[in-house]
Amino acid sequence: MIEIEGLNKVYNPKSSEPLHALRDVGLTVAGGECVILSGVSGSGKSTLLSIIAALEKPTSGKVIVGGEAIAKLPDLHASHYRSKSIGFVFQHFGLLESLSVEENVTAPLANRRLGRADIAARVQRAMEHASILHKAKSPVRELSGGEKQRCAIARALVNEPGIIICDEPTANLDTANSRKFIELLSSIHAEGKTILIATHDPIFDTLPFPHRIVRMEHGRIVEK
Ligand SMILES: Nc1ncnc2c1ncn2[C@@H]1O[C@H](COP(=O)(O)OP(=O)(O)O)[C@@H](O)[C@H]1O
Ligand SMILES: [Mg+2]
């Protein structure tokens, strides 16, 4: 499903102090697998996830997702790839605060040629799955942190992508909401989605479903 080989990312390559965010990273993730990228802040987790989502381009290396080489995709193709294959849940959610939950979850479908009824059904399903249907009409600014995250998860699910990526998903949640998040993750895993999570929260050391912990240090994978 995901094959990464010899991946490097250098920020500010031409400056006097280039920053090697990723160094010779190799990783293979099978379809349906759940991989937890762990490591301290600055170890390269977000950079690796952004490259897999084609939000950023690597300096060198190979990234194959579902048979497609994505390292050098031009922007338009990258955004097409993302909407088809990837659901991304950002640490700060990235929701439009003045719009309702339903409007936020509908947004990723804007460029799809779907009929109204189909759109409504998909949005309904995604909100239901993420346990946020009861807040469908509420503006996001009125939601709690846990509810905002469930809205972000519904938005990530609405295109029915094969891969769900979450960056520090529990960083802004209390313990009760972190546990709810893990339950939701478990049901997403049971559906056969491939899951990638960057975190340094020890709650992920004991997940109630099969997973693999991949440790990063200074831009390298040190254990997988
Ligand atoms: N846009 C950027 N420009 C310059 N340096 C960056 C940029 N993004 C990340 N970095 C640097 O790359 C390294 C890895 O960052 P990141 O992938 O965000 O780590 P993590 O998610 O594990 O905290 C850090 O040293 C960070 O400061
Ligand atoms: Mg990060």
Side-chain angles (χ1 to χ4, degrees):
M1 171 104 236
I2 303 174
E3 281 177 67
I4 296 169
E5 239 181 74
L7 189 65
N8 289 281
K9 176 68 181 183
V10 184
Y11 288 109
N12 313 319
K14 286 176 186 151
S15 77
S16 57
E17 289 182 18
L19 199 146
H20 291 257
L22 295 177
R23 296 171 187 266
D24 196 26
V25 166
L27 180 68
T28 303
V29 181
E33 221 187 332
C34 174
V35 169
I36 310 296
L37 282 180
S38 80
V40 298
S41 176
S43 55
K45 306 180 298 294
S46 296
T47 304
L48 180 54
L49 293 184
S50 303
I51 291 173
I52 293 170
L55 288 163
E56 290 212 47
K57 290 188 180 29
T59 306
S60 63
K62 212 161 88 176
V63 184
I64 315 280
V65 179
E68 187 178 4
I70 58 140
K72 291 176 191 159
L73 282 183
D75 290 349
L76 185 63
H77 290 83
S79 78
H80 184 239
Y81 153 77
R82 249 192 323 277
S83 70
K84 185 183 61 176
S85 309
I86 307 281
F88 207 118
V89 180
F90 297 93
Q91 180 175 347
H92 299 286
F93 314 132
L95 300 165
L96 297 163
E97 296 272 327
S98 62
L99 298 186
S100 69
V101 168
E102 191 172 43
E103 287 162 338
N104 271 278
V105 177
T106 306
L109 298 177
N111 297 320
R112 301 277 303 260
R113 291 168 179 241
L114 299 168
R116 267 189 185 206
D118 197 6
I119 289 177
R122 278 170 182 252
V123 169
Q124 191 84 0
R125 234 180 1 253
M127 290 191 299
E128 200 170 356
H129 191 167
S131 302
I132 196 65
L133 187 55
H134 60 298
K135 294 279 179 181
K137 305 289 180 196
S138 303
V140 163
R141 71 175 118 75
E142 291 176 8
L143 303 182
S144 71
E147 288 165 346
K148 281 185 189 179
Q149 188 192 48
R150 290 197 282 282
C151 177
I153 293 170
R155 186 185 54 179
L157 291 171
V158 78
N159 265 317
E160 299 174 1
I163 302 171
I164 299 291
I165 296 179
C166 307
D167 197 357
E168 305 283 358
T170 56
N172 298 304
L173 301 185
D174 58 24
T175 313
N177 275 306
S178 298
R179 293 226 177 83
K180 268 193 207 165
F181 171 76
I182 304 257
E183 268 171 44
L184 180 51
L185 201 61
S186 173
S187 79
I188 292 170
H189 181 256
E191 283 194 328
K193 302 230 188 253
T194 305
I195 301 175
L196 297 173
I197 300 207
T199 186
H200 53 262
D201 185 342
I203 199 172
F204 288 92
D205 290 344
T206 54
L207 286 181
F209 55 87
H211 62 287
R212 173 156 64 112
I213 296 181
V214 170
R215 293 190 201 283
M216 296 191 70
E217 268 176 31
H218 306 299
R220 291 183 197 279
I221 288 181
V222 291
E223 188 187 332
K224 58 185 169 188

